[in-house]
Amino acid sequence: MWENLEIGLEKADPAQLKVKPAQENLGFGAHFTDHMFLMEWNRQKGWHNAKVCPYQPFVLDPAAMVFHYGQAIFEGLKAYKNENGQIHLFRPQDNLERMNDSALRLCMPRLPVEKVFKGLKALVYLDRDWIPTLPGATLYIRPTMIAVEAALGVRPAGHYYFFIIMSPVGAYYREGFSPTRIFVTDTFVRAVKGGVGHVKTAGNYAASIMAAEEAHKAGYTQVLWLDACDRKSIEEVGTSNIFFMIADELITPPLSGSILPGITRDSVIQLARRRGVKVTERPITIDEVIAASADGSLQEAFGTGTAAVISPVGEFCYQNHKYLVNNGATGPLAQWLFDELQAIQNGLQPDPFKWITRVG
Ligand code: COI
């Protein structure tokens, strides 16, 4: 199926290269590099037409199935360039493997991971001048697969595009690494077991927007999601996984089918354990967090994700009551994890878990 996958290279005309934005004020996902990776799948040829090519728009039939039934999956990873000019990717194969898990759930074709990895590295190297070097700024990479067959029957499509685009980014939240304010919703739910909450599919994010908008209107950065049945067990925060440091235990909800198996989540678990922190993956209710806030054992809370990295929670609001976490300040564990992760990602510290891939 994959023998057609030689990777072509079409470079952008040097006269058409874009002007790169200033690194100080990149925001998130507002600028895109000069090139992209693109390949197609159909039943006859499998994956084919793989190429690194100039960043370009698609012409899609209005009946393309992605517009109607949402067969769309994606990933997020980052490339880093350190002061020695070394380029690194963080756990890229884990992202591609997770994308294959998403593909399986949505009846989409599996990716040839090794070949895509080759294409990804070629793309990053070609657009290496786009990787920001300012501390905190990185190149965000977005692999995506969509159903492009023009048809209105509800069934797996027979034609897909897989593409990778890249965007130089600053911090995901306006707050940067400063503590965020979180609104705990018991009105909306994100996912239910047996559904697609554990899958990185576009519909999960579409369904989250209304709750996030309401949280923003009320002055909060993001939403803390509770489970769909009892609206008590904590699931995720915004687009990130969540951790609570209570007494001497770092707690994060288990991968029970309705939350995303975050790669940053897994990295944080491994880093914290190596530091000697007791990390427990177990259900945790909002009532337990409130009780810990009341008795003073809630030390820290933070979200983890590729885009947000580590995002400390300084305050949360539940049923009209506000609770400060660590007096609204970043906690020492969140700070250590942020520094440690960034140092490993930038190749400025040993990489004991072999998470880094060098490019070039
Ligand atoms: C990521 O952290 O990479 C994500 O996918 C979150 C994104 C939706 C901004």
Side-chain angles (χ1 to χ4, degrees), residues 28 74 76 140 142 172 200 205 239 305-308:
F28 185 85
F74 68 93
Y140 185 78
R142 174 53 65 87
Y172 183 64
K200 215 156 168 65
Y205 297 81
T239 60
T306 299

Side-chain angles (χ1 to χ4, degrees), residues 30-307:
H31 311 275
F32 297 94
T33 70
D34 289 309
H35 295 90
M36 63 192 284
F37 176 87
L38 178 60
M39 66 178 184
E40 288 181 60
W41 184 94
N42 64 26
R43 291 205 186 91
Q44 298 72 40
K45 295 190 184 164
W47 287 112
H48 62 286
N49 279 355
K51 59 185 179 188
V52 172
C53 59
Y55 187 96
Q56 58 196 271
F58 297 132
V59 175
L60 292 183
D61 195 293
M65 290 169 84
V66 66
F67 296 141
H68 303 274
Y69 309 126
Q71 263 187 306
I73 56 176
F74 68 93
E75 278 297 322
L77 67 155
K78 284 176 172 170
Y80 309 81
K81 184 153 59 177
N82 69 18
E83 57 222 26
N84 305 321
Q86 289 169 343
I87 300 168
H88 296 132
L89 296 170
F90 185 69
R91 306 186 68 174
Q93 272 144 317
D94 292 319
N95 284 94
L96 298 178
E97 295 293 352
R98 186 173 66 179
M99 193 158 194
N100 270 341
D101 293 341
S102 299
L104 189 67
R105 178 63 179 83
L106 290 214
C107 297
M108 298 168 87
R110 283 176 61 81
L111 290 169
V113 169
E114 281 310 316
K115 300 271 182 164
V116 174
F117 189 39
K118 214 168 114 187
L120 168 65
K121 285 189 286 188
L123 175 66
V124 170
Y125 190 69
L126 184 61
D127 277 351
R128 61 192 176 283
D129 290 347
W130 282 86
I131 307 174
T133 47
L134 203 70
T138 49
L139 186 69
Y140 185 78
I141 302 171
R142 174 53 65 87
T144 308
M145 195 195 303
I146 55 172
V148 295
E149 181 188 345
L152 295 183
V154 181
R155 56 165 172 77
H159 186 192
Y160 295 88
Y161 284 175
F162 169 79
F163 54 91
I164 305 175
I165 54 174
M166 307 197 295
S167 170
V169 298
Y172 183 64
Y173 292 128
R174 208 185 36 220
E175 290 87 342
F177 180 60
S178 303
T180 52
R181 301 177 69 232
I182 299 299
F183 185 80
V184 186
T185 179
D186 52 9
T187 312
F188 298 105
V189 293
R190 180 185 167 274
V192 61
K193 289 183 185 41
V196 292
H198 59 304
V199 172
K200 215 156 168 65
T201 183
N204 284 338
Y205 297 81
S208 76
I209 291 172
M210 191 171 193
E213 282 299 286
E214 295 208 347
H216 292 160
K217 272 188 222 137
Y220 292 88
T221 323
Q222 260 303 349
V223 168
L224 184 74
W225 302 101
L226 303 177
D227 75 279
C229 296
D230 305 324
R231 316 250 165 134
K232 283 291 179 192
S233 292
I234 289 170
E235 299 236 311
E236 293 191 1
V237 58
T239 60
S240 306
N241 296 113
I242 181 95
F243 287 77
F244 297 91
M245 187 74 195
I246 297 181
D248 64 349
E249 187 185 17
L250 183 62
I251 305 161
T252 192
L255 300 179
S256 53
S258 54
I259 71 172
L260 194 78
I263 291 166
T264 312
R265 172 189 182 278
D266 179 70
S267 308
V268 158
I269 291 173
Q270 295 194 51
L271 284 172
R273 285 198 174 131
R274 195 175 61 120
R275 188 179 162 86
V277 176
K278 176 179 168 201
V279 185
T280 317
E281 296 174 75
R282 67 162 172 85
I284 175 167
T285 62
I286 187 66
D287 295 338
E288 180 179 347
V289 174
I290 288 168
S293 166
D295 71 18
S297 58
L298 174 63
Q299 328 257 320
E300 294 188 41
F302 52 86
T304 63
T306 299

